[in-house]
Amino acid sequence: MPMVNPKSKVSGRPKICYRPILPSDLDTIEHLHGKLFPIRYESLFFQDVVNGHDIVSWGAVDRSRPEGQKDELIGFVTARIVLAKESEIVDILGYDSSKSDQTLIYILTLGVVEAYRNLGIGMKFCHFNLVYVLGGIICGPISASSAASSLIREVTKYASSIPTCRAVYLHVISYNNPAIFLYKKMSFKCVRRLQGFYFINGQHHDSYLFVYYVNGGRSPCSPLEFLTGIASYMRSGFKLIAARLRRNDERKISRWAKCKESHSLVSSTHNKKNMATECTRYECV
């Protein structure tokens, strides 16, 4: 099968679909990784990808290409399910140690042939039975501005379908501004900068760690959020105390008014009795 030239021009209006990466994609997936990434991956990695060994994957294809090429990959994403307690981001997840089955999705690689980036086209997608990433294909429209964003969306939907999954996370090299912009646009949060994470061609490069939370997952409060929460709690407490004091004051005023009224009635009755006595005694008219 002829392979896509990453820099070739796309003619016409491509019709992009998404399907699982298959064993028949082995040569293409190796070729694309070699063209798109400065890091070299071992052959075992590609075997695991195409055979689904602990790796889930999606491939993007252009159905509008000529016969023999319409099922050829023009983009891909690979990911792995990991236990939250064994991940490097366990300290920023607010991990509940009583729930040892909590998982995460780690995006391993994501790439799109250059000619298919940022086309702004209305794409089609192929949705797969996520119990096993192969299944009946159902095509329908989605709103997506690029193949990369659609591939990411497939991963986040897959993560959301797993009840124990709390987040999708990934690393991106610090100088890859288009990727950083894309992840932020897709609602990923940059939570950490890792010094010298990558070692490429004899040089160290920093990495950003991005996280996308699913199924109620969230990071622990930052110091600012913690202080804001404390302030809000104190304000609520002060309001409650003030309300109680007002109610107590109202009760005191009410009791005082009743006591005054009762005292007036007693005094009035007492005075009437005295007057009656005096009138009887002195025959007052």
Side-chain angles (χ1 to χ4, degrees), residues 156-172:
T156 56
K157 286 193 300 183
Y158 174 68
S160 299
S161 74
I162 303 173
T164 59
C165 187
R166 292 294 172 266
V168 178
Y169 73 107
L170 56 90
H171 296 94
V172 59

Side-chain angles (χ1 to χ4, degrees), residues 75-263:
F76 57 85
V77 61
T78 66
R80 175 178 283 124
I81 300 174
V82 299
L83 288 175
K85 64 181 179 181
E86 297 176 358
S87 74
E88 63 187 287
I89 64 169
V90 64
D91 61 315
I92 60 174
L93 281 174
Y95 173 70
D96 184 352
S97 58
S98 66
K99 298 179 180 178
S100 59
D101 62 338
Q102 289 187 354
T103 58
L104 308 169
I105 299 290
Y106 178 57
I107 294 181
L108 299 166
T109 60
L110 170 68
V112 176
V113 171
E114 186 175 339
Y116 286 84
R117 297 176 195 166
N118 302 315
L119 293 179
I121 56 178
M123 296 183 177
K124 303 279 185 180
F125 80 107
C126 300
H127 178 69
F128 306 99
N129 181 348
L130 295 177
V131 175
Y132 180 59
V133 192
L134 293 173
I137 298 176
I138 306 172
C139 288
I142 64 171
S143 58
S145 60
S146 68
S149 62
S150 298
L151 287 165
I152 294 171
R153 192 169 287 109
E154 290 299 317
V155 178
T156 56
K157 286 193 300 183
Y158 174 68
S160 299
S161 74
I162 303 173
T164 59
C165 187
R166 292 294 172 266
V168 178
Y169 73 107
L170 56 90
H171 296 94
V172 59
I173 201 163
S174 58
Y175 60 73
N176 192 346
N177 293 322
I180 292 169
F181 175 80
L182 174 64
Y183 295 132
K184 288 181 177 179
K185 182 181 176 182
M186 300 293 294
S187 299
F188 280 72
K189 293 183 179 181
C190 183
V191 297
R192 186 171 291 168
R193 180 169 182 146
L194 303 172
Q195 300 290 331
F197 183 83
Y198 292 107
F199 186 71
I200 303 171
N201 297 328
Q203 289 188 340
H204 288 280
H205 299 275
D206 294 350
S207 165
Y208 290 114
L209 178 63
F210 280 87
V211 180
Y212 180 93
Y213 297 100
V214 298
N215 299 328
R218 67 183 302 273
S219 63
C221 293
S222 67
L224 178 60
E225 290 174 328
F226 178 75
L227 292 175
T228 302
I230 291 294
S232 177
Y233 178 78
M234 291 178 68
R235 282 197 300 269
S236 299
F238 287 142
K239 287 180 180 178
L240 182 61
I241 292 171
R244 287 179 177 176
L245 289 174
R246 281 197 300 271
R247 285 198 296 269
N248 289 338
D249 288 341
E250 290 170 358
R251 287 172 185 159
K252 286 180 181 178
I253 292 172
S254 178
R255 283 199 298 269
W256 182 80
K258 288 180 180 178
C259 287
K260 185 177 180 181
E261 182 181 353
S262 176
H263 178 71

Side-chain angles (χ1 to χ4, degrees), residues 26 29-31 33-34 37-50 55 78 80 108-109:
L26 179 60
I29 200 75
E30 278 195 76
H31 172 75
H33 275 73
F37 298 113
I39 299 173
R40 292 294 162 265
Y41 294 87
E42 297 180 357
S43 59
L44 180 60
F45 167 74
F46 299 111
Q47 290 289 342
D48 289 342
V49 169
V50 300
I55 292 178
T78 66
R80 175 178 283 124
L108 299 166
T109 60

